[in-house]
């Protein structure tokens, strides 16, 4: 069981439901694995005592405005397909909200969707 001060993941239902995830699992397995490995690296680093400012400076992290961050597929095997896992850090509650999974083709719509989610969440 996690300690009360541990960071937790909260995965939005749409991340698991979307057909893109199944498509990526079939056609871009190593990229998808790297995205989730990078998410785990973020979680482990935060729970290991690193600050959010340090973690968001990792090379696979990208600021997307309004508190939204994208975690990309960088890692072993030099993946070709650019994937992004969009997350929002609720620092006070120590929660990483996993909002959306996408690629370069859906990037602008993914960011708009996540920005709307953040606006609603912060109300």
């Amino acid at each position: 069981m996690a300690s009360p001060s541990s960071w937790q993941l909260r995965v939005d239902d749409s991340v698991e439901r979307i057909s893109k995830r199944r498509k990526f699992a079939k056609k871009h397995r190593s990229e998808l694995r790297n995205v989730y490995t990078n998410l785990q690296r973020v979680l482990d680093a935060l729970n290991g005592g690193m600050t959010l400012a340090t973690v968001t400076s990792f090379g696979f992290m990208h600021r997307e405005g309004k508190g939204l961050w994208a975690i990309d597929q960088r890692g072993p095997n030099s993946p070709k397909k650019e994937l992004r896992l969009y997350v929002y850090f609720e620092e006070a509650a120590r929660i990483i909200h996993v909002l959306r999974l996408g690629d370069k083709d859906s990037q602008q719509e993914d960011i708009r969707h996540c920005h709307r989610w953040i606006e609603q969440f912060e109300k």
Side-chain angles (χ1 to χ4, degrees):
M1 183 173 177
S3 73
S5 63
S6 294
W7 281 80
Q8 304 294 314
L9 293 176
R10 186 165 296 158
V11 180
D12 187 79
D13 291 340
S14 66
V15 173
E16 296 303 321
R17 273 197 324 257
I18 60 173
S19 61
K20 283 194 287 188
R21 187 175 191 285
R22 288 188 298 275
K23 177 183 87 171
F24 295 151
K26 279 184 180 180
K27 295 184 178 184
H28 305 288
R29 182 172 292 146
S30 65
E31 291 91 334
L32 187 63
R33 182 178 44 247
N34 286 355
V35 165
Y36 283 103
T37 296
N38 289 341
L39 173 62
Q40 188 63 51
R41 287 178 61 200
V42 167
L43 183 63
D44 291 345
L46 289 169
N47 284 330
M50 282 190 168
T51 65
L52 186 55
T54 301
V55 169
T56 55
S57 70
F58 288 173
F60 55 80
M61 298 287 297
H62 308 274
R63 184 186 314 263
E64 299 293 354
K66 299 187 181 186
L68 180 65
W69 290 87
I71 298 174
D72 74 22
Q73 79 296 334
R74 290 182 213 179
N77 304 324
S78 301
K80 302 292 184 220
K81 182 75 171 174
E82 292 187 42
L83 298 185
R84 301 283 189 271
L85 188 64
Y86 295 94
V87 299
Y88 175 79
F89 296 96
E90 186 182 355
E91 194 166 4
R94 300 173 72 83
I95 296 172
I96 302 172
H97 295 272
V98 180
L99 303 178
R100 190 125 169 167
L101 175 66
D103 60 9
K104 283 298 248 186
D105 296 334
S106 65
Q107 184 175 15
Q108 293 308 312
E109 174 53 33
D110 294 334
I111 291 170
R112 279 192 298 274
H113 169 86
C114 293
H115 282 173
R116 285 190 303 268
W117 184 95
I118 291 167
E119 288 166 2
Q120 290 299 311
F121 179 79
E122 291 181 342
K123 282 186 178 180

